[in-house]
Amino acid sequence: MTCPICQAETVAAYRPFCSKRCADRDLARWFTGRYAVHSTDPEDVERALEETERHLATGASDTSPRRH
Ligand SMILES: [Zn+2]
């Protein structure tokens, strides 16, 4: 089995991907589609990946919504 992102050999821990990086990249690609950024430009994917990581970072530690 190979990683759908980079075609490297899959690592069981990150199946079906080869690494967290590729798993995140796939998630970012999903986010990109969700926000209808109709671009496959690597820079847009990188930006989406950063947004995803930021979202996950804040979402993971923030269990109680705080609004002002
Ligand atoms: Zn990969």
Side-chain angles (χ1 to χ4, degrees):
M1 195 173 188
T2 55
C3 174
I5 306 298
C6 71
Q7 318 307 315
E9 197 170 329
T10 294
V11 172
Y14 299 111
R15 214 166 37 182
F17 307 102
C18 70
S19 62
K20 187 176 189 299
R21 177 78 180 169
C22 281
D24 284 350
R25 190 164 282 270
D26 186 71
L27 187 62
R29 212 163 53 170
W30 183 83
F31 260 68
T32 306
R34 181 180 174 184
Y35 292 124
V37 180
H38 48 267
S39 172
T40 51
D41 192 312
E43 283 189 21
D44 284 344
V45 175
E46 282 296 325
R47 203 176 308 136
L49 179 58
E50 285 174 19
E51 286 292 326
T52 304
E53 285 174 348
R54 198 174 308 139
H55 179 81
L56 291 176
T58 55
S61 59
D62 189 14
T63 49
S64 57
R66 283 189 301 172
R67 288 181 186 176
H68 294 287

